[in-house]
Structures are given as structure tokens and as C-alpha cells.
Amino acid sequence: MTSPDSLTSPEADVPVPSYARDAVARALAADLELVTFLYADHGGVIRAKAASTQFLAERIESGIGHTVAMMAMTMLDTLQPVEGMGPVGEVRIKPDPATLVELPYAPGAGAMLADLIRPDGEPWEACARSFLKLAIDELAVEGYAMSAAFEPEFTVGQRVADPAGGPDRLVPADDSLCYSVTGFHQNYDYVMEVVRALNAQGLRVEHYYPELGHGQQEIPIRHAGALRAADNHVLYRETVRGVAIRRGQWASLAPKPIPDQAGNGAHLHASLSLLADGTPAFADAADSCGLSATGYHFIGGLLAHLPGLLALTCGSVNSYRRLQPQFWSSAYTVYGMDNREAAVRICSPLRGDATSSVNLELKPSDSSANPYLALGGVIHAGLDGIRRRLDPGEAVNVDPATMTQVQREAAGARRLPLTLTEALDALAADELLVDALGPLRSTAYLAVKRAEAAAFAEHDTAWECFQHFLRF
Ligand code: GLU
Ligand code: MG
């Protein structure tokens, strides 16, 4: 086998930069023909360009050229007028070579997660992955590191034409009961292929279960550092859909691909530890919920920013079809101990891992979001809570939908935004989040998402569900 030290890019004879050597050697050893550079856009869509392995060394160094306009593109591929994102101007899709994986469901292909950088090599002001990196840096200024995991649900089935000529429908692959093992038998081949493919990419599958909805599955993966967690979620979305498509099936992580079935969440779990020595920062055995003061302040920040934050964590029109009371997706700005109707759930510690397993779970989060913007937004909101020592009030340990309006008001339980437009208005009014996003990113994001809201307002539920299960 070629030794990494002697590697050159075969075509151009360019020496492989040292930081990329390992990735190029692995791509060659695995006989990869194409390596895809993945990024997530403002529509929440994962897009990419691939480099042929023979040019990989050069492209790791230079990135692949890309138009600035793609960050003004909606999930319907309609380009929005955003200053600085027109037909003139160029960025590079620059991969992180440490993230190289072989794609088990696409033999001969690999993937890397990528940043969007300017031609001068600086991070582009509209790069979502850079937004998360900067949020992680801010957290470090306060002395914390974050561990996180997206906990995605998805629906597997077939894409079927509507005999009446309407939009295609997603017909679920099973009609099994919640956690019924019959659902596993009905989807065994698909599920096993997904589990193997995730593990092979280093995503560390923790569990599997058939979920409540017909065809609905859940395969949670192990938490990781914040950047890795968002990268993992991109690879996860690609895997769930890639395996299905190659098998002649269809899988969707859209929040509500089938209107009368359970929605697909991607609950966001997060915990902080001290950068200095790794001590868990959310655990306090003396507290009745096992949560530290830092943890309560973090919740205070999440709840204070939740209406606007939702525009980032629940990024599509379809997201708001999921966020209904009594669907276990959350509908009110409350937190509670193991309360699955609360927007923020304090997860009870696991025996045997009492300290490090304490984490917060944000329920209003789904896979139509750009995971980098979602997690970066969560960090900024929580950090604001820590910096301002925000008090989240009392925990709500009942289903808020069963409280009277007077009780909800007394508990500070506000209904979450009912539509994407409401969430976007809240985001536009949230100075902290708009500031953190910066002028280019916030302008483009709001333009893209407002255009999506306007487009879907012209159509019915069937078309909305179709467009979302097609893309997510
Ligand atoms: N499917 C629910 C959601 O939309 C979550 C159910 C559960 O608690 O796992 O978030
Ligand atoms: Mg679930």
C-alpha cells in the first residue's frame, strides 16, 4: 500500500498537505472513487459536491468552488434575492479531513463534512458549520464544553403515486404498535442495514425501536462533542435515506410526513462539562431534580429564547404540524423532570452513571433544521441564561395541556409559535440570536424561510407533506 508520507495527488503531483494525509491514504486504501463534501443550507437541505479521489489532496486544500447563491436557495430550489448571494461571487466547499467516512450504502463513495470558506481561506459569514464552531468557542470562553446528540425519529415506507393525480404519498412500511417487535420483523433488513452503516461510520448506535407511528423507527446514537454531534446528524440523515433509496424504499425524517401519524422529532440532548477537567457541569446530587445551578440557568436561557430559537430548531413549515399539545413533541414553554410534554426535559440520571448522564432534552427540534444552526442557536440561548443567571421558574411536572389557562399563565407557560412565520417573527425580534447569526446569515436565513412560508401558504397539506418527505 502507498505510504501516506509518499503521497502526492497523482494528476498534479501536488504533495499532500500534512493535515490531509490520513484522509487521502484512507480514501485510496478503501478504493473510493468519489468523496462527497457535505454541507447543510438555509433550507435545512443537505447539499454537496464530490471530488474524484485522484484530485482529493488538491481539493482538501483548495475546496471545491461553489456559488454564493446557494445559501439563498429555499427547500423548493427557488432562489431568493439576498444581497451578497447573487450570481456573482464564489465560495469554496472545504472539507474537514478528520471527518472522512466510507459510505456503506454507496460503495465506492465516501463523505466529509465541509465548511463554506471565502476564496481567501477565511470562514464565510454565511457558513452554518462555522456558526456552530464559533458558538463552541464562546462556550469555551465561559469554561465549558458541550456534549450533544440528536435523537432522530423517521418513517420508512414507499413513495407512491396518487391515483387521483395529486402529490405522491409516503405509504408506511408497517402498521405495528408502539415498541412492538412486529415492527422490527417487518423492517428487519432495512433496520439492520442502517444500524450497520451508522456503526461503520463511527456513529455508535445505542438503541433501536419501532416507534408509535406506522413505519416510524427510532435509532438513537451516542452523544459526542457538539461539532461532532451536528456532523453525525448530517451523516445520519444521509444514511437513513441513502439505505432506503438503494433498497427501492423511501425514508423520511420530515417532522410530519404523514398528517395523521405521529411526528418525527429529533430531540436535542445536551450537557456541559468543565473544560478544565471534564467535570460534568449539569449534575448536582443535592438538587431535587439532580440539576446544578448552571443547568437551571441554561434552561432559563433556552426558555427565554425559545420562540425565536424555534425558527432554527424547527426550521420548516411542516415542523409546526408536529408541535401540537399531547403529541409528546411539546407545545408550551415549560421545563420539567422527565416530562415528555415539556419543551425542556431534565433527563433523570442513569444508575451507574449518575453524574455524567444528567442532560437536558429540547423537544421542539426536528430533522428539517440545519443541525449546525440549531445547535449553535441552543448554545447561544443557554449561554445567555448562564451569563445572566436566568431563573427558569418552577418545574412543571404535569402535562401543560391539562392545566387551565390561568394555571399556565402563573407557571409562565406560553404556547410555542403556531407557524413558521410566527417563529421567524420571534427570531427577527431576538437581538441575541440575530446578533450571533450576524447580518449576512440572519438576512439570508429569514429571506429563505419567509419565502418557504409564503410558498406553502398557497398549497394544501398533501403538497406540504410531499415536499417535506421528498427532501428530509
Ligand atoms: N414522536 C414524538 C415527537 O414528535 C416523540 C415521542 C417520544 O417521546 O419518543 O417528538
Ligand atoms: Mg421517540
Side-chain angles (χ1 to χ4, degrees):
M1 198 182 89
T2 329
S3 114
D5 288 336
S6 66
L7 282 175
T8 55
S9 171
E11 283 298 314
D13 240 18
V14 175
V16 177
S18 57
Y19 70 90
R21 244 173 230 165
D22 187 47
V24 176
R26 283 172 52 219
L28 288 172
D31 263 337
L32 300 184
E33 295 290 344
L34 287 175
V35 179
T36 303
F37 299 2
L38 300 163
Y39 73 94
D41 73 4
H42 282 148
V45 176
I46 300 167
R47 305 198 192 235
K49 286 183 177 177
S52 164
T53 306
Q54 61 188 314
F55 295 109
L56 190 59
E58 280 173 63
R59 290 297 162 262
I60 287 176
E61 175 69 356
S62 66
I64 300 180
H66 202 49
T67 163
V68 287
M70 286 308 292
M71 285 307 266
M73 197 69 117
T74 67
M75 62 166 279
L76 297 166
D77 256 4
T78 52
L79 192 57
Q80 296 312 301
V82 175
E83 207 184 320
M85 292 184 183
V88 181
E90 184 79 359
V91 287
R92 313 276 183 238
I93 312 176
K94 167 115 168 128
D96 178 345
T99 64
L100 177 80
V101 288
E102 280 179 60
L103 300 177
Y105 55 89
M112 290 190 258
L113 286 310
D115 294 331
L116 299 177
I117 62 162
R118 301 195 310 224
D120 66 6
E122 290 302 309
W124 186 38
E125 291 78 357
C127 168
R129 195 165 181 266
S130 302
F131 172 70
L132 176 56
K133 286 184 187 172
L134 290 171
I136 293 168
D137 290 350
E138 287 243 355
L139 204 50
V141 171
E142 299 298 324
Y144 297 111
M146 177 180 275
S147 254
F150 290 82
E151 184 196 314
E153 297 167 325
F154 58 92
T155 307
V156 61
Q158 293 287 343
R159 178 179 165 181
V160 174
D162 176 14
D168 291 359
R169 284 169 308 129
L170 179 61
V171 176
D174 70 67
D175 51 5
S176 78
L177 302 176
C178 191
Y179 308 135
S180 155
V181 185
T182 304
F184 182 36
H185 302 321
Q186 287 179 279
N187 293 290
Y188 175 83
D189 292 329
Y190 170 76
V191 166
M192 291 310 291
E193 197 175 333
V194 170
V195 167
R196 283 198 192 97
L198 292 172
N199 280 327
Q201 292 168 84
L203 266 68
R204 306 179 73 201
V205 169
E206 279 204 329
H207 307 121
Y208 160 71
Y209 27 91
E211 258 282 1
L212 173 65
H214 291 174
Q216 194 180 29
Q217 318 293 323
E218 182 163 334
I219 307 178
I221 57 157
R222 187 74 168 172
H223 57 85
L227 182 63
R228 177 74 197 265
D231 285 347
N232 279 350
H233 194 50
V234 172
L235 294 174
Y236 188 103
R237 284 173 52 181
E238 287 295 289
T239 303
V240 159
R241 288 169 63 81
V243 170
I245 289 169
R246 256 180 70 86
R247 295 174 54 81
Q249 295 178 272
W250 198 264
S252 173
L253 302 100
K256 202 82 166 175
I258 305 174
D260 64 354
Q261 290 293 322
N264 291 318
H267 305 163
L268 226 172
H269 291 260
S271 65
L272 297 185
S273 58
L274 299 186
L275 260 183
D277 57 7
T279 307
F282 275 178
D284 180 354
D287 176 70
S288 59
C289 297
L291 193 69
S292 68
T294 306
Y296 283 105
H297 296 322
F298 199 93
I299 295 177
L302 288 178
L303 295 182
H305 292 283
L306 203 49
L309 181 61
L310 235 64
L312 301 176
T313 59
C314 295
S316 68
V317 167
N318 193 237
S319 297
Y320 297 81
R321 199 173 289 285
R322 166 179 165 255
L323 297 177
Q324 301 297 332
Q326 305 201 304
F327 277 82
W328 295 30
S329 57
S330 83
Y332 294 94
T333 59
V334 299
Y335 79 97
M337 182 72 186
D338 281 336
N339 183 350
R340 288 179 162 80
E341 279 289 343
V344 181
R345 168 187 167 210
I346 304 171
C347 300
S348 50
L350 296 174
R351 281 169 69 88
D353 187 15
T355 319
S356 63
S357 60
V358 175
N359 71 90
L360 300 176
E361 177 185 33
L362 182 71
K363 295 269 182 191
S365 163
D366 69 59
S367 296
S368 64
N370 177 316
Y372 301 102
L373 298 184
L375 192 49
V378 162
I379 291 175
H380 282 289
L383 199 50
D384 186 47
I386 292 175
R387 284 177 172 156
R388 295 199 286 141
R389 305 183 67 76
L390 292 180
D391 175 2
E394 291 299 311
V396 169
N397 290 326
V398 296
D399 174 355
T402 63
M403 296 160 80
T404 64
Q405 186 56 23
V406 174
Q407 287 171 326
R408 277 196 293 265
E409 272 165 30
R414 286 168 296 152
R415 184 70 173 86
L416 296 178
L418 297 177
T419 60
L420 178 60
T421 299
E422 264 186 48
L424 292 169
D425 290 344
L427 175 63
D430 189 316
E431 273 179 40
L432 179 106
L433 291 177
V434 169
D435 246 34
L437 289 166
L440 184 63
R441 202 181 274 109
S442 60
T443 306
Y445 189 77
L446 288 166
V448 163
K449 288 294 161 188
R450 288 204 193 279
E452 289 178 5
F456 283 108
E458 304 286 311
H459 292 274
D460 64 5
T461 305
W463 194 78
E464 174 202 307
C465 292
F466 165 62
Q467 291 295 341
H468 285 80
F469 81 63
L470 205 54
R471 318 203 186 271
F472 300 108

